[in-house]
Amino acid sequence: SNFSMDAYYPILSGALTAEQEDMYVEKTMQRFYVDGLGVKCVAEEPWVTVAETCEFCIALVKAGHRERAIKILQEVKTISDDEQIPYMGWQFNEKIFWPFEQPSWTIAALILAEDAIYNTSKASRVFTANLV
């Protein structure tokens, strides 16, 4: 698929072995990651989206790649205004925020990623632990 979520959602599902999780991490890194920016939503489009990058960071924590998650989360946090409120995305060919929106689900994804990485709440493991 051309959508990054199809590459990392299987990790979040809890249905993969550790070896398979690593394979999906590498697939996402190779096909969707833009160094220094974050994760593209769609493989062939020149934009990085904050929510998808944050979701991938949660998947990285679940797959045991916490340091990589920290690095990528710090990169994507630059797609924000002066008050650190993230935009939906960054069109890196034109060097503009795109779409020029700041939806609540984007900041929610950022909060969930921060929590998964830094274990700041009692719910921090909701996406990273296999509870079955």
Side-chain angles (χ1 to χ4, degrees), residues 66-84:
R66 184 175 176 272
E67 293 305 315
R68 189 181 269 181
I70 291 169
K71 175 189 181 296
I72 293 172
L73 186 66
Q74 293 308 312
E75 292 169 349
V76 82
K77 286 169 69 173
T78 63
I79 303 173
S80 299
D81 65 15
D82 292 339
E83 295 177 3
Q84 302 307 307

Side-chain angles (χ1 to χ4, degrees), residues 53-98:
T53 302
C54 291
E55 291 170 349
F56 179 54
C57 288
I58 296 168
L60 284 169
V61 172
K62 183 174 184 324
H65 298 270
R66 184 175 176 272
E67 293 305 315
R68 189 181 269 181
I70 291 169
K71 175 189 181 296
I72 293 172
L73 186 66
Q74 293 308 312
E75 292 169 349
V76 82
K77 286 169 69 173
T78 63
I79 303 173
S80 299
D81 65 15
D82 292 339
E83 295 177 3
Q84 302 307 307
I85 299 171
Y87 289 97
M88 190 181 297
W90 176 254
Q91 212 287 1
F92 52 85
N93 283 349
E94 296 182 30
K95 297 181 176 33
I96 58 170
F97 296 115
W98 189 87

Side-chain angles (χ1 to χ4, degrees), residues 11-14 21 57-64 66 111-132:
I11 299 167
L12 295 174
S13 76
E21 287 179 343
C57 288
I58 296 168
L60 284 169
V61 172
K62 183 174 184 324
R66 184 175 176 272
I111 291 168
L112 290 171
E114 289 270 352
D115 195 23
I117 291 170
Y118 297 110
N119 194 26
T120 56
S121 82
K122 292 180 181 179
S124 65
R125 297 186 65 222
V126 72
F127 295 112
T128 61
N130 287 334
L131 302 176
V132 236

